[in-house]
Amino acid sequence: MSVASRSATNQNIFQKMGDLRFEQTISHQCGVTMNDSVEARAIAEFMGKKPNVTVTYQPALIRIDGEGKLIFKMDEISDILGKDMTAEIFEVNTSTHYGRMVRIDDNTVTLFGNMDEVFEYIE
């Protein structure tokens, strides 16, 4: 996918400092940052097709941001990669994340932007 076609289908969530407005609101966003790789590009392309997901390509990083929550299913990711992806390998491949990351089961890693939804998973 060329840079031009990527930028046409994905929005850039970053703003210039002069354009930022600070408000006393709560964001329900969450996301991950991955080092740019063949695997990260495949995951980003797949996740970018889901509603309320924004993918931003940087020179060496790929950001996957969501509103509310992001659900990463390891079996779906394994299918698109053509090799096994485990929750452990996925977490290692994410450089960083924001929101509350919860491993629901061996197949599902979910990031929550709305902290009220996390309480049912916390013991």
Side-chain angles (χ1 to χ4, degrees):
M1 181 180 276
S2 71
V3 172
S5 63
R6 275 186 286 180
S7 61
T9 59
N10 299 294
Q11 297 177 342
N12 188 337
I13 64 164
F14 300 105
Q15 298 177 15
K16 295 178 184 174
M17 286 301 290
D19 295 337
L20 289 176
R21 290 183 54 217
F22 295 99
E23 301 173 8
Q24 296 296 329
T25 59
I26 297 172
S27 166
H28 292 295
Q29 291 184 313
C30 55
V32 298
T33 303
M34 303 179 85
N35 290 323
D36 192 354
S37 66
V38 172
E39 291 85 1
R41 285 176 182 259
I43 293 168
E45 185 176 326
F46 174 73
M47 292 299 292
K49 295 175 184 173
K50 295 185 176 199
N52 300 317
V53 174
T54 302
V55 174
T56 305
Y57 295 86
Q58 297 292 322
L61 301 171
I62 299 173
R63 293 242 339 217
I64 303 171
D65 299 285
E67 183 68 32
K69 66 181 165 187
L70 282 172
I71 301 171
F72 294 92
K73 296 278 192 178
M74 298 307 110
D75 58 348
E76 294 175 343
I77 294 172
S78 294
D79 288 345
I80 62 165
L81 293 178
K83 62 181 183 179
D84 284 340
M85 175 62 74
T86 65
E88 294 85 4
I89 294 171
F90 175 78
E91 289 181 35
V92 167
N93 284 317
T94 59
S95 300
T96 188
H97 72 276
Y98 69 101
R100 181 66 169 244
M101 183 181 280
V102 177
R103 187 167 157 185
I104 306 297
D105 55 37
D106 286 341
N107 187 56
T108 310
V109 174
T110 302
L111 281 108
F112 292 91
N114 183 346
M115 294 301 122
D116 293 335
E117 290 186 48
V118 174
F119 293 128
E120 70 181 85
Y121 299 98
I122 298 176
E123 296 177 11

